């Protein structure tokens, strides 16, 4: 979990083992080794707090109120007593500061407290107050004897990540703070500046040494803020520097096929284009075509909202390859998605008489053999598939383009196995994601790629109308559905289904199906869920696609891979249980035809604040980019991307949902330096050069440990 750019490790001082730090014996050192992977001074000084608690003021008991998340009180411990037996046993102490009485309650470690609490001694108490009858009480408060040092308050307590074992050994954030102080006092002259002086000046940043000191032991809130800003900038700067450096390397070192001929593309444009491309599609195709002419390998990300028309962009990109005697492949993370892409591309390919195939885990051996042969001899020009494409047995005559529908599910390693399918020259790479990605995420996750975004939907689409309805409005919702069916429309009704509550969820789905059958006795229905055999699923799906059934009651299996333009209403049951991007994806299943489409979000009457924000966002906008931003704010970057994208997980201090401005500045700075002095030979850039070499060293160390 080494962070990008942070380690101030540069010399043997920071390689000193922590048992040589004053106050740290071999036992404590062993604990730190084991529990936190902290071995030397460098590891310790980089063990950053994840938040800071305000200990700058003392509260008075008479002023306690519910709004205070935590209080800090200076006072005297009075009498205490033990009540209850067994698991109900607890120790209750009275504590007073002269303005009132506060109860301190312990359920655990009672014996220890009984022995060690000092009656009538002065303490500082910190914790979350809760009203208990007419009294305030704090359960398991933090308790410190009042000393000359702590009696003034006025500081910010860093809170460090801990493990249970450390807690049992009474090692808490304060213990770590103390060690940190000892270490910082002897480290100062060893912490070198890691950013060029002109950058530090330009953005008015504090020095590295001050930043480290104040992040661990803030002198004030202002200092805390400045040190955070500095460390975030540094982290993001090195993150971007390395991504951009990779990108630059790619551009200079990896040749790519030159796709100069465009006969098929021209024919397709002239005779087979089924609609006029949107301005956004044209712009993106232009960016792609530019890449394909340079003689350098293309590495581009294409993102755009559901329904923005990525398929035709992918297809035309493939035509550039075919025009130049090269083959194209598209890899998707699931069978359903692969199938959807195949269907979409096949329509276009058929119009030109181009051979296209599909290869997934369920392709039969006989068909598989044919595909393998045709890819090798070049008769099959386009292949769509899943991971099955990566297998060594799949060989191409001349693979020129890989399109990867990523959805954050493929690792870099898998991507590169696909490139290796052309031994002579790397194929061009286009990574597609099904949804828009917030700007900050795109910069960090895909910072080494060029980025194209389709930002407009095809003309003439009517925006989907989205409304929020409570369960108690079900009758009027059903009335609305009846009207839509009478107009000839079809309806999706979606239920959540997750593994953890699968039984309950399936029951909800079945109950829902029952109640719909009762409410619409004369309307043919389909039902679809993941537990059904795939033959039955297909059957139900096909009936709905052909318009034989009018309502499709389903779990999220329909989220991907379904295109029924006549379906114009999406009802989402228990909408509170879906994430924002999932709601948006589901909504994207309607609004595909000419009719006005609707999305109805059903929830319980009582919903949380976050749910309300998700629902309001859905009702307010159809813009996937805007929705992605809100989603990022709500969930944080980790949840949005899953865990496979390691580059992002390296960020320890910066937070992509808040630090967009810092990221922008850091990226611009890195770009400017790479442009002027990519090899870092100018004297002012030496701190970067020196620092990068320590990061490399660090990383090898980390891989040894983990
Ligand atoms: P996605 O970006 O979600 O993959 P698709 O490529 O599946 O979107 O396109 C969604 C629908 O919009 C398809 O039915 C497609 O034929 C249609 N479409 C795409 N581009 C245009 C356009 N420029 N004008 C009209 N319809 C378009
Ligand atoms: Mg698509």
């Amino acid at each position: 979990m080494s962070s990008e750019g942070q380690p101030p490790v540069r010399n043997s001082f920071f390689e000193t083992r922590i048992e040589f730090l004053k106050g740290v014996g071999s036992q404590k050192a062993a604990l730190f080794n084991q529990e936190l992977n902290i071995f030397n001074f460098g590891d310790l000084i980089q063990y950053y707090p994840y938040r800071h608690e305000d200990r700058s003021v003392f509260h008075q008991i008479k002023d306690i109120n519910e709004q205070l998340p935590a209080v800090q009180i200076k006072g005297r411990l009075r009498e205490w007593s033990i009540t209850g037996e067994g698991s109900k046993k607890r120790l209750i102490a009275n504590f007073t500061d002269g303005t009132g009485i506060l109860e301190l309650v312990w359920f655990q470690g009672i014996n220890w407290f009984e022995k060690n609490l000092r009656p009538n001694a002065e303490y500082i108490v910190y914790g979350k107050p809760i009203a208990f009858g007419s009294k305030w009480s704090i359960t398991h408060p933090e308790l410190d004897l009042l000393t000359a040092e702590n009696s003034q308050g006025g500081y910010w307590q860093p809170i460090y990540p801990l493990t249970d074992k450390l807690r049992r050994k009474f090692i808490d954030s304060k213990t770590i703070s103390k060690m940190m102080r000892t270490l910082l006092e002897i480290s100062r002259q060893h912490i070198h500046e890691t950013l060029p002086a002109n950058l530090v000046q330009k953005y008015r940043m504090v020095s590295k040494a001050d930043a480290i000191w104040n992040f661990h032991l803030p002198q004030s809130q202002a200092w805390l803020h400045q040190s955070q800003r500095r460390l975030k900038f540094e982290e993001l700067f090195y993150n971007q520097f390395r991504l951009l450096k990779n990108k630059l390397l790619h551009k200079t070192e990896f040749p790519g096929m030159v796709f100069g001929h465009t006969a098929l593309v021209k024919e397709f444009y002239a005779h087979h284009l089924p609609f006029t491309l949107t301005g956004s599609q044209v712009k993106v195709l232009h960016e792609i075509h530019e890449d394909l002419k340079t003689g350098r390998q293309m590495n581009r990300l294409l993102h755009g909202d559901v329904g923005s028309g990525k398929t035709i962009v992918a297809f035309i990109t493939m035509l550039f390859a075919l025009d130049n005697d090269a083959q194209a492949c598209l890899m998707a993370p699931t069978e359903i998605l692969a199938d959807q892409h195949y269907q979409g591309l096949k329509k276009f390919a058929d119009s030109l008489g181009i051979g296209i195939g599909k290869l997934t885990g369920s392709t039969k051996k006989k068909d598989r053999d044919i595909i393998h042969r045709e890819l090798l001899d070049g008769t099959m020009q386009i292949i769509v598939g899943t991971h099955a494409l990566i297998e060594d047995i799949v060989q191409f005559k001349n693979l020129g383009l890989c399109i990867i529908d990523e959805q954050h599910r493929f690792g870099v390693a898998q991507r590169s196995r696909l490139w290796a399918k052309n031994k002579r020259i790397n194929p061009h790479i286009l990574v597609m994601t099904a949804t828009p990605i917030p700007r900050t995420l795109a910069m960090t996750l895909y910072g080494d790629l060029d980025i194209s975004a389709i930002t407009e939907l095809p003309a003439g689409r009517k925006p989907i109308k989205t409304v929020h309805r409570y369960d108690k409005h079900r009758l009027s919702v059903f009335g609305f559905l009846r009207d839509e069916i009478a107009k000839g429309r079809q309806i999706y009704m979606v239920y959540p289904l997750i593994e953890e509550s699968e039984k309950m969820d399936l029951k909800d789905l079945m109950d829902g199906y029952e109640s719909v059958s009762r409410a619409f006795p004369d309307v043919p229905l389909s039902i679809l869920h993941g537990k059904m055999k795939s033959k039955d699923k297909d059957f139900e799906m096909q009936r709905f696609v052909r318009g034989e059934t009018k309502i499709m009651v389903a779990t999220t299996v329909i989220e991907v891979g379904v295109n029924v333009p006549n379906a114009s209403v999406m009802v989402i049951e228990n909408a509170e249980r879906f994430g924002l991007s999932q709601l948006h994806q589901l909504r994207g299943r309607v609004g595909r035809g000419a009719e006005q489409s609707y999305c109805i979000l059903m929830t319980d009457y009582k919903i949380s604040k976050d749910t309300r924000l998700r629902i309001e966002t859905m009702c307010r906008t159809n813009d996937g980019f805007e929705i992605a931003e809100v989603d990022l704010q709500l969930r944080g970057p980790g949840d949005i991307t899953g865990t496979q994208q390691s580059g992002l997980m390296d960020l320890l201090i910066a937070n992509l949902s808040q630090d967009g401005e810092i990221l922008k500045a850091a990226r611009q700075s890195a770009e400017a330096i790479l442009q002027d002095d990519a090899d870092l030979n100018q004297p002012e850039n030496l701190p970067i050069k020196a620092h990068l070499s320590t990061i490399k060293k660090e990383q090898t160390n980390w891989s040894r440990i983990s």
Side-chain angles (χ1 to χ4, degrees):
M1 44 170 274
S2 170
S3 96
E4 303 250 8
Q6 297 308 324
V9 186
R10 182 179 292 184
N11 50 36
S12 58
F13 172 80
F14 285 110
E15 279 159 25
T16 315
R17 302 187 63 83
I18 51 168
E19 45 266 55
F20 299 111
L21 186 65
K22 215 171 98 206
V24 181
S26 57
Q27 263 184 344
K28 210 186 216 172
L31 265 176
F32 272 67
N33 297 170
Q34 255 175 38
E35 294 295 299
L36 303 177
N37 257 346
I38 293 177
F39 291 85
N40 59 33
F41 287 4
D43 299 334
L44 182 59
I45 211 164
Q46 289 168 74
Y47 198 66
Y48 292 128
Y50 61 93
R51 66 184 172 91
H52 294 78
E53 282 175 0
D54 182 0
R55 305 296 174 88
S56 59
V57 290
F58 289 108
H59 300 91
Q60 297 203 313
I61 294 174
K62 71 173 169 48
D63 296 331
I64 296 179
N65 63 62
E66 248 129 27
Q67 259 68 53
L68 295 168
V71 292
Q72 172 168 256
I73 294 163
K74 209 176 346 183
R76 227 173 255 287
L77 199 63
R78 290 279 148 84
E79 71 289 339
W80 62 79
S81 58
I82 293 178
T83 63
E85 283 294 324
S87 65
K88 294 256 167 67
K89 189 170 167 183
R90 56 192 150 141
L91 185 145
I92 302 178
N94 278 329
F95 183 81
T96 179
D97 64 353
T99 74
I101 291 186
L102 180 67
E103 268 186 5
L104 309 180
V105 183
W106 284 273
F107 295 94
Q108 276 161 9
I110 292 178
N111 293 342
W112 189 89
F113 282 106
E114 214 186 345
K115 243 182 264 154
N116 289 282
L117 286 180
R118 295 218 233 133
N120 276 319
E122 280 192 288
Y123 282 95
I124 294 175
V125 163
Y126 180 89
K128 172 161 185 47
I130 38 174
F132 197 67
S134 61
K135 275 187 206 151
W136 289 99
S137 81
I138 299 181
T139 304
H140 285 256
E142 215 178 278
L143 196 65
D144 288 299
L145 272 173
L146 191 71
T147 63
E149 271 167 47
N150 67 16
S151 69
Q152 297 311 309
Y155 70 104
W156 286 72
Q157 173 68 47
I159 305 299
Y160 293 94
L162 292 166
T163 65
D164 283 344
K165 180 149 182 201
L166 288 174
R167 283 199 193 89
R168 282 201 302 278
K169 303 273 182 188
F170 299 103
I171 289 175
D172 59 12
S173 287
K174 287 206 167 142
T175 324
I176 298 185
S177 284
K178 235 179 244 153
M179 285 166 67
M180 210 60 90
R181 178 177 293 276
T182 312
L183 176 58
L184 287 166
E185 274 163 0
I186 55 172
S187 303
R188 200 155 183 117
Q189 78 270 26
H190 299 284
I191 302 176
H192 300 278
E193 185 50 61
T194 45
L195 289 173
N198 53 5
L199 270 187
V200 174
Q201 239 167 26
K202 178 173 174 197
Y203 291 105
R204 296 175 199 283
M205 288 187 276
V206 297
S207 71
K208 172 80 177 208
D210 279 342
I212 293 273
W213 184 286
N214 281 281
F215 196 49
H216 286 298
L217 301 169
Q219 301 169 46
S220 66
Q221 193 174 10
W223 268 105
L224 174 60
H225 179 74
Q226 287 306 327
S227 64
Q228 274 169 330
R229 191 170 70 92
R230 149 81 211 217
L231 294 174
K232 285 175 173 184
F233 183 95
E234 176 175 333
E235 184 169 58
L236 293 169
F237 173 83
Y238 279 100
N239 167 288
Q240 290 299 302
F241 191 89
R242 293 201 309 181
L243 286 166
L244 290 166
K245 175 106 194 175
N246 269 344
K247 184 168 158 184
L248 195 70
L249 269 179
H250 241 111
K251 286 209 192 304
T252 49
E253 321 238 305
F254 287 84
M257 296 177 212
V258 179
F259 288 166
H261 302 286
T262 55
L264 273 175
V265 176
K266 287 205 179 99
E267 191 197 331
F268 186 70
Y269 262 85
H271 303 296
H272 304 283
L273 207 57
F275 35 67
T276 317
L277 297 179
T278 63
S280 228
Q281 285 169 322
V282 172
K283 182 175 127 272
V284 163
L285 277 165
H286 196 72
E287 289 164 355
I288 290 171
H289 189 207
E290 285 301 308
D291 285 357
L292 299 177
K293 291 191 296 195
T294 55
R296 303 282 153 215
Q297 185 194 25
M298 171 168 79
N299 271 288
R300 187 168 282 279
L301 170 75
L302 171 62
H303 62 146
D305 212 348
V306 200
S308 61
K310 292 183 289 291
T311 311
I312 196 157
V313 171
F315 181 72
I316 293 171
T317 306
M318 289 174 160
L319 289 185
F320 284 119
L322 271 50
D323 261 327
N324 294 274
D325 294 326
Q327 294 157 293
C329 74
L330 187 155
M331 180 165 76
T334 63
E335 289 224 2
I336 294 182
L337 274 172
D339 194 55
Q340 182 193 13
H341 283 301
Y342 175 72
Q343 302 297 346
L345 293 168
K346 191 168 181 345
K347 261 195 299 206
F348 300 134
D350 285 349
S351 71
L352 289 171
I354 290 170
I356 178 170
K358 184 176 75 169
L359 183 67
T360 70
S362 58
T363 306
K364 298 216 172 61
K365 169 92 171 64
K366 196 178 77 213
D367 301 331
R368 197 180 282 254
D369 290 343
I370 298 174
I371 290 171
H372 291 161
R373 202 176 56 236
E374 293 192 348
L375 287 174
L376 196 57
D377 70 19
T379 37
M380 185 171 285
Q381 294 167 286
I382 298 176
I383 180 84
V384 179
T386 55
H387 293 83
L389 290 173
I390 301 179
E391 285 171 28
D392 289 332
I393 190 158
V394 181
Q395 295 295 330
F396 292 81
K397 181 175 181 212
N398 183 25
L399 181 62
L401 168 72
C402 301
I403 300 184
I404 301 170
D405 182 355
E406 188 140 280
Q407 291 210 317
H408 319 299
R409 277 182 234 187
F410 291 115
V412 174
Q414 282 172 314
R415 265 194 237 163
S416 60
R417 281 189 63 188
L418 213 44
W419 306 7
K421 300 263 175 201
N422 190 331
K423 301 272 179 307
R424 201 170 47 76
I425 185 165
N426 284 319
H428 294 291
I429 306 290
L430 184 68
V431 176
M432 291 204 301
T433 83
T435 51
I437 308 167
R439 209 172 39 99
T440 54
L441 267 187
M443 269 189 222
T444 40
L445 275 182
Y446 299 103
D448 53 345
L449 306 183
D450 294 301
I451 296 179
S452 290
I454 304 185
T455 52
E456 69 185 309
L457 295 182
R461 289 264 171 90
K462 294 201 182 90
I464 300 161
K465 288 191 179 145
T466 303
V467 294
H468 177 201
R469 292 287 180 267
Y470 295 115
D471 291 334
K472 63 176 188 190
H473 297 134
R474 188 167 301 278
L475 276 184
S476 73
V477 170
F478 279 3
F480 174 76
L481 301 184
R482 209 179 310 273
D483 293 346
E484 288 298 301
I485 293 170
K487 287 188 212 159
R489 308 286 119 72
Q490 288 167 282
I491 289 157
Y492 293 110
M493 194 173 275
V494 176
Y495 284 80
L497 193 153
I498 57 169
E499 233 169 280
E500 291 85 73
S501 53
E502 192 178 312
K503 269 202 183 128
M504 282 288 287
D505 288 349
L506 268 177
K507 185 174 173 310
D508 280 356
L509 176 80
M510 291 307 173
D511 290 351
Y513 182 73
E514 284 293 306
S515 81
V516 176
S517 329
R518 255 180 281 122
F520 300 87
D522 47 346
V523 173
L525 312 177
S526 276
I527 184 163
L528 195 65
H529 58 79
K531 291 276 122 174
M532 289 163 58
K533 292 211 182 76
S534 99
K535 197 173 82 227
D536 300 336
K537 273 195 274 192
D538 276 354
F539 177 74
E540 288 295 331
M541 200 57 237
Q542 287 313 320
R543 288 207 312 150
F544 189 69
V545 170
R546 287 194 300 264
E548 292 163 19
T549 54
K550 302 297 173 190
I551 304 181
M552 161 71 80
V553 179
T555 58
T556 43
V557 289
I558 65 148
E559 192 178 337
V560 288
V562 180
N563 187 17
V564 182
N566 190 46
S568 64
V569 184
M570 168 66 65
V571 182
I572 303 179
E573 297 284 345
N574 297 323
E576 67 272 16
R577 289 183 50 201
F578 292 93
L580 197 42
S581 67
Q582 219 183 354
L583 289 173
H584 182 60
Q585 283 276 325
L586 283 168
R587 177 168 63 182
R589 296 296 113 201
V590 296
R592 304 186 150 230
E595 309 306 332
Q596 174 65 54
S597 291
Y598 303 89
C599 174
I600 303 173
L601 305 170
M602 305 290 298
T603 72
D604 205 354
Y605 197 64
K606 264 204 193 134
I607 49 177
S608 71
K609 214 173 99 213
D610 279 7
T611 300
R612 193 164 293 283
L613 181 56
R614 288 201 297 272
I615 306 257
E616 278 170 8
T617 305
M618 286 291 293
C619 295
R620 184 186 70 237
T621 180
N622 277 299
D623 180 346
F625 284 90
E626 191 178 336
I627 286 169
E629 291 290 347
V630 178
D631 202 26
L632 177 62
Q633 300 298 331
L634 277 174
R635 287 198 297 160
D639 277 336
I640 291 188
T641 54
T643 46
Q644 282 200 8
Q645 304 288 348
S646 58
L648 186 67
M649 298 307 143
D650 286 349
L651 296 178
L652 293 183
I653 302 178
N655 178 342
L656 294 179
S657 48
Q658 289 157 18
D659 300 325
E661 286 307 308
I662 302 180
L663 174 60
K664 213 165 98 192
R667 184 178 177 91
Q668 277 167 3
S669 309
E671 259 166 358
I673 290 168
L674 280 167
Q675 193 160 36
D676 292 348
D677 185 24
D679 295 328
L680 302 171
N681 291 325
Q682 288 166 22
E684 74 240 37
N685 292 330
L686 287 182
I688 304 178
K689 197 170 196 168
H691 187 54
L692 283 173
S693 67
T694 65
I695 300 181
K696 283 212 190 88
K697 197 157 109 208
E698 267 286 292
Q699 278 170 344
T700 36
N701 287 347
W702 277 105
S703 57
R704 177 178 54 79
I705 294 164
S706 56

